[in-house]
Amino acid sequence: TALIGILLLGPQLAQAQKYGGNPVIEGMFTADPAPLVHNDTLYLFTGHDEQQPDREGFLMKDWHVFSTTDMHDYTDHGALLSVKDFEWAAANAFASHAVERDGKFYWYVSVTHKDIRVNEGFAIGVAVADHPLGPYKDAKGSAIVTDETPNVIPLNIDPAVYIDDDGQAYLFWGSWGEARMVRLQDNMVEMEGDVQTVELKNFFEAPFVHKKGDTYYMTYAGSGYPSKTEYATSTSITGPWTYQGVLNELLPVSATNHQGIVEFRDNWYFVYHNSQLPTGGVFRRSVSIDKLEYTEDGLLKTVERTDT
Ligand code: FUB
């Protein structure tokens, strides 16, 4: 295994040294970046991979926030949220997403629940703060999403919230081929109405919605595991979604590349993770950013990664 690791990591190290720009976070292993722009600053809410190079499985205990104003220097503001901040949570600080509403910042997280024994125990919670950099506290005191139906996919992971033009907020999540959606009440911490299935071709996990003009774009990890980023478009946040193909091919080794998309200073960016840092791998990932461009027809051009 060690020899295979060295063989696989050799070209990766060469690529990282050759380009230098990506990964943008180098001091630690980070994953599942969720971008948010506030006051002309780009914030990245990320997971934190702490697994040892020779061990299997995710070891994730907290989430960090990074900020940049020039997309060159990134400041680590530390572990602003951790599993311990949710009394009902047990472990596994999986993917998260933060959004702003009425001057408050709601940070949705996937985490395992102390009392849930099905679907690997995952649930979705939310923390709230008055500033992107916190301090954050559990906004509800319990999980928002806890599907406890045995053996029902999806795992309750990978939350992504989108606030539509009319102010209605939607929570998306899902994994293992099933995407879910539910309306949120104005308080952003309680569901409104029934949970719905979202039909997305090739969906695996990591749904993320953004809008440009009149078009909603749903990007997600697709085609199983390892995944590549695929996407669909719609004229409505509630679908139906038209499959548009692959947006980004996965770089070998990281197995996931959990994406987010953001407009910052008149440019669009594809924010994701790979495993480009030395000793990186499936459980030791690193956040990268590349430009996102649109065709004249309003589709997304395949992302040209600057790490390869
Ligand atoms: O980081 C843990 C899990 O791996 C995330 O929840 C998934 O999206 C995948 O990136």
Side-chain angles (χ1 to χ4, degrees):
T1 313
L3 180 60
I4 293 171
I6 289 166
L7 289 173
L8 289 173
L9 282 170
Q12 302 259 317
L13 293 180
Q15 286 158 359
Q17 283 154 11
K18 182 175 171 190
Y19 288 96
N22 275 328
V24 296
I25 311 297
E26 292 185 312
M28 56 187 281
F29 293 97
T30 53
D32 308 322
L36 180 149
V37 173
H38 176 72
N39 280 352
D40 207 28
T41 299
L42 173 62
Y43 294 90
L44 300 177
F45 293 72
T46 80
H48 178 196
D49 278 335
E50 296 192 73
Q51 188 54 278
Q52 296 302 307
D54 55 347
R55 301 280 300 271
E56 297 271 311
F58 291 118
L59 183 59
M60 306 179 81
K61 303 172 193 165
D62 52 34
W63 300 266
H64 279 235
V65 182
F66 297 83
S67 70
T68 182
T69 52
D70 57 8
M71 302 204 67
H72 180 74
D73 291 317
Y74 292 79
T75 303
D76 179 8
H77 299 280
L80 299 188
L81 191 63
S82 114
V83 169
K84 290 180 186 154
D85 293 317
F86 300 94
E87 269 186 30
W88 49 269
N92 294 303
F94 274 26
S96 73
H97 182 221
V99 292
E100 178 178 3
R101 173 162 213 159
D102 300 332
K104 291 199 179 294
F105 296 83
Y106 295 90
W107 193 353
Y108 298 82
V109 302
S110 338
V111 70
T112 44
H113 195 292
K114 282 177 180 164
D115 302 325
I116 296 180
R117 298 284 172 267
V118 296
N119 306 335
E120 295 183 24
F122 277 99
I124 292 172
V126 58
V128 66
D130 294 329
H131 187 275
L133 298 180
Y136 283 94
K137 62 170 195 218
D138 186 350
K140 190 165 187 237
S142 59
I144 300 179
V145 176
T146 56
D147 183 351
E148 298 187 52
T149 315
N151 303 317
V152 168
I153 298 299
L155 305 183
N156 296 317
I157 64 169
D158 294 3
V161 169
Y162 184 82
I163 303 173
D164 207 3
D165 300 335
D166 62 1
Q168 176 64 58
Y170 297 81
L171 170 63
F172 294 85
W173 76 95
S175 72
W176 291 101
E178 293 278 336
R180 297 282 191 262
M181 178 193 82
V182 72
R183 287 179 168 79
L184 290 175
Q185 294 183 20
D186 286 348
N187 65 16
M188 299 296 278
V189 305
E190 279 166 298
M191 291 186 189
E192 183 172 287
D194 295 333
V195 173
Q196 295 167 35
T197 297
V198 186
E199 299 296 339
L200 294 169
K201 184 180 173 189
N202 289 357
F203 177 83
F204 183 70
E205 63 182 6
F208 187 93
V209 179
H210 78 277
K211 189 181 184 192
K212 182 170 186 284
D214 293 330
T215 304
Y216 296 83
Y217 298 82
M218 171 73 79
T219 51
Y220 50 92
S223 296
Y225 178 88
S227 317
K228 46 184 97 173
T229 308
E230 305 187 27
Y231 81 105
T233 56
S234 179
T235 54
S236 166
I237 186 67
T238 53
W241 297 94
T242 305
Y243 181 71
Q244 301 291 2
V246 173
L247 177 60
N248 185 237
E249 291 284 348
L250 181 72
L251 197 69
V253 180
S254 71
T256 59
N257 60 357
H258 195 123
Q259 82 302 332
I261 286 171
V262 68
E263 185 180 22
F264 182 57
R265 298 189 178 172
D266 299 326
N267 284 306
W268 286 85
Y269 295 96
F270 180 75
V271 184
Y272 61 106
H273 66 232
N274 55 29
S275 51
Q276 292 294 86
L277 281 181
T279 77
V282 175
F283 309 114
R284 292 164 66 81
R285 300 161 293 178
S286 43
V287 168
S288 288
I289 301 182
D290 280 301
K291 276 224 172 148
L292 180 79
E293 293 180 324
Y294 297 81
T295 69
E296 285 184 1
D297 298 332
L299 297 180
L300 303 180
K301 292 186 183 174
T302 306
V303 171
E304 297 293 334
R305 277 199 315 263
T306 53
D307 54 5
T308 55

PDB file of all heavy atoms in Angstrom, residues 171-173 177-182 196-201 203 218 237-239 241:
ATOM      1  N   LEU A 171     -33.678  24.060   1.770  1.00  0.00           N
ATOM      2  CA  LEU A 171     -32.548  23.242   2.218  1.00  0.00           C
ATOM      3  C   LEU A 171     -32.468  22.005   1.337  1.00  0.00           C
ATOM      4  O   LEU A 171     -33.438  21.239   1.228  1.00  0.00           O
ATOM      5  CB  LEU A 171     -32.753  22.833   3.683  1.00  0.00           C
ATOM      6  CG  LEU A 171     -31.794  21.775   4.251  1.00  0.00           C
ATOM      7  CD1 LEU A 171     -30.352  22.277   4.249  1.00  0.00           C
ATOM      8  CD2 LEU A 171     -32.211  21.391   5.680  1.00  0.00           C
ATOM      9  N   PHE A 172     -31.326  21.827   0.692  1.00  0.00           N
ATOM     10  CA  PHE A 172     -31.055  20.626  -0.113  1.00  0.00           C
ATOM     11  C   PHE A 172     -30.031  19.780   0.631  1.00  0.00           C
ATOM     12  O   PHE A 172     -29.173  20.301   1.344  1.00  0.00           O
ATOM     13  CB  PHE A 172     -30.470  21.017  -1.476  1.00  0.00           C
ATOM     14  CG  PHE A 172     -31.413  21.775  -2.356  1.00  0.00           C
ATOM     15  CD1 PHE A 172     -31.549  23.157  -2.229  1.00  0.00           C
ATOM     16  CD2 PHE A 172     -32.170  21.131  -3.316  1.00  0.00           C
ATOM     17  CE1 PHE A 172     -32.427  23.867  -3.030  1.00  0.00           C
ATOM     18  CE2 PHE A 172     -33.054  21.825  -4.131  1.00  0.00           C
ATOM     19  CZ  PHE A 172     -33.180  23.210  -3.984  1.00  0.00           C
ATOM     20  N   TRP A 173     -30.064  18.484   0.432  1.00  0.00           N
ATOM     21  CA  TRP A 173     -29.036  17.613   0.975  1.00  0.00           C
ATOM     22  C   TRP A 173     -29.135  16.253   0.288  1.00  0.00           C
ATOM     23  O   TRP A 173     -30.024  16.023  -0.538  1.00  0.00           O
ATOM     24  CB  TRP A 173     -29.177  17.481   2.492  1.00  0.00           C
ATOM     25  CG  TRP A 173     -30.278  16.595   2.991  1.00  0.00           C
ATOM     26  CD1 TRP A 173     -30.188  15.282   3.340  1.00  0.00           C
ATOM     27  CD2 TRP A 173     -31.651  16.970   3.198  1.00  0.00           C
ATOM     28  NE1 TRP A 173     -31.417  14.828   3.754  1.00  0.00           N
ATOM     29  CE2 TRP A 173     -32.323  15.831   3.685  1.00  0.00           C
ATOM     30  CE3 TRP A 173     -32.371  18.153   3.015  1.00  0.00           C
ATOM     31  CZ2 TRP A 173     -33.688  15.837   3.984  1.00  0.00           C
ATOM     32  CZ3 TRP A 173     -33.720  18.155   3.325  1.00  0.00           C
ATOM     33  CH2 TRP A 173     -34.363  17.018   3.800  1.00  0.00           C
ATOM     34  N   GLY A 177     -26.946   8.785  -4.125  1.00  0.00           N
ATOM     35  CA  GLY A 177     -27.891   8.764  -5.235  1.00  0.00           C
ATOM     36  C   GLY A 177     -29.236   9.392  -4.980  1.00  0.00           C
ATOM     37  O   GLY A 177     -30.069   9.447  -5.880  1.00  0.00           O
ATOM     38  N   GLU A 178     -29.497   9.875  -3.781  1.00  0.00           N
ATOM     39  CA  GLU A 178     -30.805  10.468  -3.483  1.00  0.00           C
ATOM     40  C   GLU A 178     -30.611  11.901  -3.002  1.00  0.00           C
ATOM     41  O   GLU A 178     -29.954  12.137  -1.988  1.00  0.00           O
ATOM     42  CB  GLU A 178     -31.503   9.664  -2.383  1.00  0.00           C
ATOM     43  CG  GLU A 178     -31.903   8.273  -2.812  1.00  0.00           C
ATOM     44  CD  GLU A 178     -33.226   8.264  -3.579  1.00  0.00           C
ATOM     45  OE1 GLU A 178     -34.032   9.188  -3.390  1.00  0.00           O
ATOM     46  OE2 GLU A 178     -33.420   7.325  -4.363  1.00  0.00           O
ATOM     47  N   ALA A 179     -31.215  12.840  -3.714  1.00  0.00           N
ATOM     48  CA  ALA A 179     -31.178  14.237  -3.274  1.00  0.00           C
ATOM     49  C   ALA A 179     -32.524  14.599  -2.655  1.00  0.00           C
ATOM     50  O   ALA A 179     -33.574  14.138  -3.113  1.00  0.00           O
ATOM     51  CB  ALA A 179     -30.881  15.148  -4.455  1.00  0.00           C
ATOM     52  N   ARG A 180     -32.486  15.412  -1.624  1.00  0.00           N
ATOM     53  CA  ARG A 180     -33.702  15.826  -0.921  1.00  0.00           C
ATOM     54  C   ARG A 180     -33.785  17.348  -0.862  1.00  0.00           C
ATOM     55  O   ARG A 180     -32.762  18.040  -0.916  1.00  0.00           O
ATOM     56  CB  ARG A 180     -33.689  15.282   0.511  1.00  0.00           C
ATOM     57  CG  ARG A 180     -33.702  13.775   0.597  1.00  0.00           C
ATOM     58  CD  ARG A 180     -35.091  13.213   0.357  1.00  0.00           C
ATOM     59  NE  ARG A 180     -35.165  11.816   0.695  1.00  0.00           N
ATOM     60  CZ  ARG A 180     -35.078  10.818  -0.178  1.00  0.00           C
ATOM     61  NH1 ARG A 180     -34.884  11.075  -1.466  1.00  0.00           N
ATOM     62  NH2 ARG A 180     -35.173   9.563   0.220  1.00  0.00           N
ATOM     63  N   MET A 181     -35.008  17.848  -0.691  1.00  0.00           N
ATOM     64  CA  MET A 181     -35.217  19.287  -0.567  1.00  0.00           C
ATOM     65  C   MET A 181     -36.392  19.526   0.369  1.00  0.00           C
ATOM     66  O   MET A 181     -37.369  18.781   0.362  1.00  0.00           O
ATOM     67  CB  MET A 181     -35.553  19.871  -1.940  1.00  0.00           C
ATOM     68  CG  MET A 181     -35.834  21.351  -1.926  1.00  0.00           C
ATOM     69  SD  MET A 181     -36.579  21.898  -3.477  1.00  0.00           S
ATOM     70  CE  MET A 181     -38.288  21.466  -3.185  1.00  0.00           C
ATOM     71  N   VAL A 182     -36.284  20.581   1.167  1.00  0.00           N
ATOM     72  CA  VAL A 182     -37.421  20.993   1.999  1.00  0.00           C
ATOM     73  C   VAL A 182     -37.377  22.516   2.143  1.00  0.00           C
ATOM     74  O   VAL A 182     -36.294  23.117   2.133  1.00  0.00           O
ATOM     75  CB  VAL A 182     -37.385  20.289   3.381  1.00  0.00           C
ATOM     76  CG1 VAL A 182     -36.271  20.835   4.266  1.00  0.00           C
ATOM     77  CG2 VAL A 182     -38.727  20.382   4.079  1.00  0.00           C
ATOM     78  N   GLN A 196     -39.051  16.615   0.026  1.00  0.00           N
ATOM     79  CA  GLN A 196     -39.280  16.134  -1.339  1.00  0.00           C
ATOM     80  C   GLN A 196     -38.012  15.525  -1.919  1.00  0.00           C
ATOM     81  O   GLN A 196     -36.909  15.904  -1.544  1.00  0.00           O
ATOM     82  CB  GLN A 196     -39.725  17.294  -2.231  1.00  0.00           C
ATOM     83  CG  GLN A 196     -41.069  17.874  -1.816  1.00  0.00           C
ATOM     84  CD  GLN A 196     -41.342  19.201  -2.503  1.00  0.00           C
ATOM     85  OE1 GLN A 196     -40.964  19.385  -3.651  1.00  0.00           O
ATOM     86  NE2 GLN A 196     -41.986  20.102  -1.792  1.00  0.00           N
ATOM     87  N   THR A 197     -38.194  14.599  -2.835  1.00  0.00           N
ATOM     88  CA  THR A 197     -37.067  14.040  -3.576  1.00  0.00           C
ATOM     89  C   THR A 197     -36.769  14.947  -4.762  1.00  0.00           C
ATOM     90  O   THR A 197     -37.685  15.434  -5.414  1.00  0.00           O
ATOM     91  CB  THR A 197     -37.429  12.628  -4.091  1.00  0.00           C
ATOM     92  OG1 THR A 197     -37.650  11.788  -2.957  1.00  0.00           O
ATOM     93  CG2 THR A 197     -36.314  12.048  -4.941  1.00  0.00           C
ATOM     94  N   VAL A 198     -35.485  15.181  -5.020  1.00  0.00           N
ATOM     95  CA  VAL A 198     -35.087  15.995  -6.170  1.00  0.00           C
ATOM     96  C   VAL A 198     -34.535  15.045  -7.231  1.00  0.00           C
ATOM     97  O   VAL A 198     -33.603  14.290  -6.958  1.00  0.00           O
ATOM     98  CB  VAL A 198     -34.010  17.028  -5.777  1.00  0.00           C
ATOM     99  CG1 VAL A 198     -33.713  17.966  -6.944  1.00  0.00           C
ATOM    100  CG2 VAL A 198     -34.445  17.824  -4.557  1.00  0.00           C
ATOM    101  N   GLU A 199     -35.133  15.076  -8.414  1.00  0.00           N
ATOM    102  CA  GLU A 199     -34.697  14.180  -9.490  1.00  0.00           C
ATOM    103  C   GLU A 199     -33.504  14.793 -10.209  1.00  0.00           C
ATOM    104  O   GLU A 199     -33.630  15.826 -10.878  1.00  0.00           O
ATOM    105  CB  GLU A 199     -35.842  13.960 -10.495  1.00  0.00           C
ATOM    106  CG  GLU A 199     -37.084  13.322  -9.894  1.00  0.00           C
ATOM    107  CD  GLU A 199     -36.842  11.909  -9.381  1.00  0.00           C
ATOM    108  OE1 GLU A 199     -35.869  11.269  -9.828  1.00  0.00           O
ATOM    109  OE2 GLU A 199     -37.617  11.454  -8.523  1.00  0.00           O
ATOM    110  N   LEU A 200     -32.343  14.157 -10.066  1.00  0.00           N
ATOM    111  CA  LEU A 200     -31.116  14.656 -10.700  1.00  0.00           C
ATOM    112  C   LEU A 200     -30.367  13.478 -11.296  1.00  0.00           C
ATOM    113  O   LEU A 200     -29.973  12.562 -10.563  1.00  0.00           O
ATOM    114  CB  LEU A 200     -30.228  15.348  -9.655  1.00  0.00           C
ATOM    115  CG  LEU A 200     -30.752  16.641  -9.026  1.00  0.00           C
ATOM    116  CD1 LEU A 200     -29.892  17.035  -7.832  1.00  0.00           C
ATOM    117  CD2 LEU A 200     -30.778  17.762 -10.056  1.00  0.00           C
ATOM    118  N   LYS A 201     -30.161  13.498 -12.593  1.00  0.00           N
ATOM    119  CA  LYS A 201     -29.461  12.388 -13.255  1.00  0.00           C
ATOM    120  C   LYS A 201     -28.048  12.235 -12.699  1.00  0.00           C
ATOM    121  O   LYS A 201     -27.326  13.221 -12.531  1.00  0.00           O
ATOM    122  CB  LYS A 201     -29.392  12.668 -14.764  1.00  0.00           C
ATOM    123  CG  LYS A 201     -28.776  11.540 -15.556  1.00  0.00           C
ATOM    124  CD  LYS A 201     -28.718  11.849 -17.021  1.00  0.00           C
ATOM    125  CE  LYS A 201     -27.932  10.756 -17.728  1.00  0.00           C
ATOM    126  NZ  LYS A 201     -27.654  11.088 -19.117  1.00  0.00           N
ATOM    127  N   PHE A 203     -26.958  11.749  -9.828  1.00  0.00           N
ATOM    128  CA  PHE A 203     -26.643  12.364  -8.527  1.00  0.00           C
ATOM    129  C   PHE A 203     -25.984  11.360  -7.591  1.00  0.00           C
ATOM    130  O   PHE A 203     -26.422  10.223  -7.466  1.00  0.00           O
ATOM    131  CB  PHE A 203     -27.916  12.911  -7.871  1.00  0.00           C
ATOM    132  CG  PHE A 203     -27.674  13.493  -6.498  1.00  0.00           C
ATOM    133  CD1 PHE A 203     -27.209  14.791  -6.368  1.00  0.00           C
ATOM    134  CD2 PHE A 203     -27.875  12.737  -5.352  1.00  0.00           C
ATOM    135  CE1 PHE A 203     -26.962  15.341  -5.102  1.00  0.00           C
ATOM    136  CE2 PHE A 203     -27.634  13.274  -4.088  1.00  0.00           C
ATOM    137  CZ  PHE A 203     -27.183  14.573  -3.966  1.00  0.00           C
ATOM    138  N   MET A 218     -27.786  23.634 -10.595  1.00  0.00           N
ATOM    139  CA  MET A 218     -27.615  22.651  -9.523  1.00  0.00           C
ATOM    140  C   MET A 218     -26.363  21.847  -9.850  1.00  0.00           C
ATOM    141  O   MET A 218     -26.359  21.037 -10.789  1.00  0.00           O
ATOM    142  CB  MET A 218     -28.821  21.724  -9.452  1.00  0.00           C
ATOM    143  CG  MET A 218     -28.644  20.548  -8.515  1.00  0.00           C
ATOM    144  SD  MET A 218     -28.717  20.997  -6.786  1.00  0.00           S
ATOM    145  CE  MET A 218     -30.487  21.134  -6.566  1.00  0.00           C
ATOM    146  N   ILE A 237     -36.388  27.022  -8.783  1.00  0.00           N
ATOM    147  CA  ILE A 237     -35.626  26.351  -7.727  1.00  0.00           C
ATOM    148  C   ILE A 237     -36.223  24.987  -7.405  1.00  0.00           C
ATOM    149  O   ILE A 237     -35.531  24.098  -6.910  1.00  0.00           O
ATOM    150  CB  ILE A 237     -35.562  27.244  -6.460  1.00  0.00           C
ATOM    151  CG1 ILE A 237     -34.653  26.648  -5.392  1.00  0.00           C
ATOM    152  CG2 ILE A 237     -36.940  27.493  -5.889  1.00  0.00           C
ATOM    153  CD1 ILE A 237     -33.214  26.615  -5.750  1.00  0.00           C
ATOM    154  N   THR A 238     -37.494  24.801  -7.699  1.00  0.00           N
ATOM    155  CA  THR A 238     -38.119  23.514  -7.400  1.00  0.00           C
ATOM    156  C   THR A 238     -38.064  22.549  -8.595  1.00  0.00           C
ATOM    157  O   THR A 238     -38.699  21.502  -8.568  1.00  0.00           O
ATOM    158  CB  THR A 238     -39.589  23.720  -6.976  1.00  0.00           C
ATOM    159  OG1 THR A 238     -40.260  24.485  -7.970  1.00  0.00           O
ATOM    160  CG2 THR A 238     -39.670  24.452  -5.650  1.00  0.00           C
ATOM    161  N   GLY A 239     -37.302  22.915  -9.632  1.00  0.00           N
ATOM    162  CA  GLY A 239     -37.165  22.036 -10.785  1.00  0.00           C
ATOM    163  C   GLY A 239     -38.347  22.154 -11.728  1.00  0.00           C
ATOM    164  O   GLY A 239     -39.150  23.076 -11.579  1.00  0.00           O
ATOM    165  N   TRP A 241     -35.213  19.684 -13.201  1.00  0.00           N
ATOM    166  CA  TRP A 241     -33.826  19.969 -13.529  1.00  0.00           C
ATOM    167  C   TRP A 241     -33.419  19.250 -14.809  1.00  0.00           C
ATOM    168  O   TRP A 241     -33.659  18.052 -14.951  1.00  0.00           O
ATOM    169  CB  TRP A 241     -32.924  19.543 -12.375  1.00  0.00           C
ATOM    170  CG  TRP A 241     -33.190  20.303 -11.122  1.00  0.00           C
ATOM    171  CD1 TRP A 241     -34.017  19.936 -10.094  1.00  0.00           C
ATOM    172  CD2 TRP A 241     -32.654  21.575 -10.752  1.00  0.00           C
ATOM    173  NE1 TRP A 241     -34.021  20.905  -9.112  1.00  0.00           N
ATOM    174  CE2 TRP A 241     -33.193  21.926  -9.491  1.00  0.00           C
ATOM    175  CE3 TRP A 241     -31.759  22.464 -11.363  1.00  0.00           C
ATOM    176  CZ2 TRP A 241     -32.871  23.115  -8.832  1.00  0.00           C
ATOM    177  CZ3 TRP A 241     -31.439  23.641 -10.705  1.00  0.00           C
ATOM    178  CH2 TRP A 241     -31.992  23.964  -9.461  1.00  0.00           C
TER     179      TRP A 241
END
